[in-house]
């Protein structure tokens, strides 16, 4: 059972982020009526940066760290704005939070809803979870450039893989597989990335011995992308590194009917820092303020928060309510109307 009180740092962000986050928190309060839920808003994102020149200060980081969890809406501004070039917000905010708060595991569940159409002609029963390593790989910034801007320029990025980092994400993947359909697929490219691939394989084999009920197989990442398109129903739990996971989860969102229902969690596995929950979609500034944003992905991300804070029954009730709302939805509903409908369905359960 979860705790009797939860404090949540809320980063609504840019565009539709604050709108979908508001609905998600409304649903969380309805799903956990006996929990004292306190929130604190943090003004961060592209707009905040353009107005103040600040992305994420150490003082703000320390304040966020005091909370039990982080809820993020979306960040990002006009892609044509040169002041935002080079992923300055993504690296200075999202990656900074992930690395500073040791978000070692990125969870991305993909389930094709019966009322949602996949671009695949015969998708089958798509229901899998990608467990992606979140703090290592080529994203650590270990690299550099020589002779920049010349015809002899040299650029490199070093992929960092540690036994500790790999083992904790692999263990999490096995825990999830044991709670689902007892099948785990390691995805890597060990025929080319022989050093990192061998480390991932050895640790997967070692942890597998503790979970004899879980069937384990392996796919090169290029083969995995083929099966994502030809037979995505074959997957249950996929464990992979940071870069491959980044690519595969976007493909998963596409074959699973789009990012409108794509939730994610960035988990600190030992509870030292707050984990972060966010929909996969962007800030969509073109529809901000119009009421057209679908908050379903944000609400499903809130379900992940409830689950990992010790409220699995509430999490399932939220998912059930979203399933019913999506199935019953006729015509168009505003952002607020969708949130209200999910809250009403929770009350009926």
């Amino acid at each position: 059972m979860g705790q009797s009180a939860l404090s949540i740092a809320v980063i609504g962000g840019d565009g539709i982020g604050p709108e979908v986050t508001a609905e998600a928190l409304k649903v969380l309060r309805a799903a956990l009526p006996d929990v004292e839920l306190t929130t604190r808003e943090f003004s961060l994102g592209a707009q905040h940066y353009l107005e103040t020149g600040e992305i994420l200060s150490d003082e703000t980081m320390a304040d966020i760290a005091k909370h039990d969890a982080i809820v993020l809406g979306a960040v990002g501004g006009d892609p044509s704005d040169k002041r935002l070039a080079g992923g300055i917000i993504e690296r200075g905010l999202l990656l900074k939070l992930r690395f500073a708060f040791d978000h070692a595991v990125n969870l991305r569940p993909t389930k094709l809803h019966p009322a949602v159409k996949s671009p695949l002609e015969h998708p089958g029963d798509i229901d899998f979870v990608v467990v992606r390593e979140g703090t290592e790989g080529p994203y650590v910034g270990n690299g550099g450039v020589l002779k920049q801007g010349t015809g002899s320029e040299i650029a490199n990025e070093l992929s960092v893989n540690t036994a500790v980092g790999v083992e904790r994400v692999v263990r999490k993947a096995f825990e999830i597989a044991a709670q689902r359909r007892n099948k785990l697929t390691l995805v890597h490219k060990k025929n080319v990335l022989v050093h990192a691939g061998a480390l991932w394989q050895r640790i997967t084999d070692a942890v597998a011995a503790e979970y004899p009920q879980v069937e384990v197989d392996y796919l090169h990442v290029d083969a995995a992308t083929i099966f994502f398109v030809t037979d995505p129903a074959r997957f249950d739990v996929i464990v992979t590194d940071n870069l491959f996971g980044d690519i595969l989860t976007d493909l998963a969102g596409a074959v699973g009917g789009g990012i409108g229902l794509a939730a994610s969690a960035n988990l600190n596995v030992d509870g030292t820092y707050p984990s972060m929950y966010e929909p996969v979609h962007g800030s969509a500034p073109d529809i901000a303020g119009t009421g057209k944003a679908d908050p379903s992905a944000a609400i499903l991300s809130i379900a992940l928060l409830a689950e990992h804070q010790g409220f699995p029954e509430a999490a399932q009730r939220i998912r059930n309510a979203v399933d019913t709302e999506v199935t019953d939805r006729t015509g168009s509903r505003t952002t607020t109307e969708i949130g209200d409908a999910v809250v009403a369905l929770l009350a009926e359960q």
Side-chain angles (χ1 to χ4, degrees):
M1 180 62 183
Q3 58 219 68
S4 59
L6 283 177
S7 64
I8 298 178
V10 181
I11 306 173
D14 301 304
I16 64 171
E19 300 170 41
V20 299
T21 299
E23 299 309 308
L25 291 170
K26 181 167 67 180
V27 169
L28 183 63
R29 288 189 175 93
L32 299 175
D34 298 325
V35 176
E36 182 184 351
L37 187 64
T38 58
T39 61
R40 179 178 173 186
E41 300 275 350
F42 289 86
S43 179
L44 298 169
Q47 189 61 38
H48 176 73
Y49 168 69
L50 293 176
E51 292 174 354
T52 67
E54 176 190 84
I55 299 178
L56 178 60
S57 69
D58 291 341
E59 181 181 2
T60 301
M61 287 268 291
D63 286 341
I64 293 173
K66 299 173 185 176
H67 295 76
D68 296 312
I70 306 165
V71 172
L72 174 69
V75 295
D78 184 347
S80 66
D81 192 331
K82 294 181 180 179
R83 295 173 296 176
L84 302 175
I88 185 171
I89 301 301
E90 290 78 5
R91 296 195 66 86
L93 177 58
L94 300 182
L95 290 186
K96 186 174 180 179
L97 284 171
R98 290 177 190 173
F99 283 99
F101 292 165
D102 200 19
H103 291 160
V105 175
N106 174 251
L107 287 186
R108 284 277 296 272
T110 296
K111 185 174 183 179
L112 180 60
H113 193 282
V116 176
K117 183 174 176 58
S118 170
L120 303 180
E121 185 175 3
H122 301 293
D125 185 12
I126 299 178
D127 182 4
F128 61 81
V129 178
V130 177
V131 184
R132 165 192 169 193
E133 200 287 318
T135 60
E136 297 188 349
Y139 290 16
V140 299
N142 192 339
V145 180
L146 295 174
K147 303 179 182 179
Q148 188 172 34
T150 74
S152 302
E153 182 170 342
I154 302 170
N156 65 73
E157 301 283 348
L158 179 65
S159 180
V160 175
N161 299 264
T162 68
V164 171
V166 174
E167 182 174 349
R168 59 186 180 178
V169 72
V170 167
R171 284 195 174 278
K172 188 64 177 179
F174 271 98
E175 290 174 12
I176 294 171
Q179 295 167 0
R180 287 173 51 90
R181 302 194 304 275
N182 287 312
K183 183 174 182 181
L184 181 142
T185 303
L186 169 63
V187 172
H188 210 278
K189 189 68 176 173
K190 64 181 183 180
N191 58 332
V192 176
L193 306 176
V194 293
H195 304 299
L199 176 63
W200 277 84
Q201 187 66 72
R202 286 198 308 271
I203 290 177
T204 299
D205 291 344
V207 178
E210 303 174 26
Y211 292 85
Q213 76 276 28
V214 176
E215 175 188 352
V216 181
D217 65 353
Y218 169 84
L219 285 173
H220 292 325
V221 65
D222 41 355
T225 62
I226 293 172
F227 285 120
F228 265 44
V229 176
T230 60
D231 186 20
R234 66 175 281 161
F235 295 110
D236 180 18
V237 174
I238 296 166
V239 64
T240 191
D241 81 346
N242 207 338
L243 177 59
F244 295 147
D246 193 359
I247 297 167
L248 286 176
T249 50
D250 282 349
L251 180 55
V255 301
I259 59 175
L261 293 170
S264 75
N266 296 288
L267 302 179
N268 175 276
V269 294
D270 60 11
T272 306
Y273 295 102
S275 297
M276 183 165 67
Y277 305 85
E278 58 178 311
V280 174
H281 61 66
S283 60
D286 55 320
I287 63 169
T290 66
K292 295 180 180 179
D294 187 338
S296 298
I299 295 171
L300 290 172
S301 298
I302 279 287
L304 288 172
L305 183 156
E307 181 174 15
H308 290 281
Q309 288 292 330
F311 302 97
E313 293 182 359
Q316 190 57 52
R317 290 195 299 113
I318 293 172
R319 295 187 185 104
N320 292 343
V322 171
D323 282 348
T324 302
E325 191 281 324
V326 171
T327 302
D328 293 347
R329 193 186 304 177
T330 57
S332 60
R333 280 177 170 169
T334 67
T335 309
T336 301
E337 287 172 343
I338 292 172
D340 288 342
V342 173
V343 168
L345 287 164
L346 283 170
E348 295 174 5
Q349 293 181 17

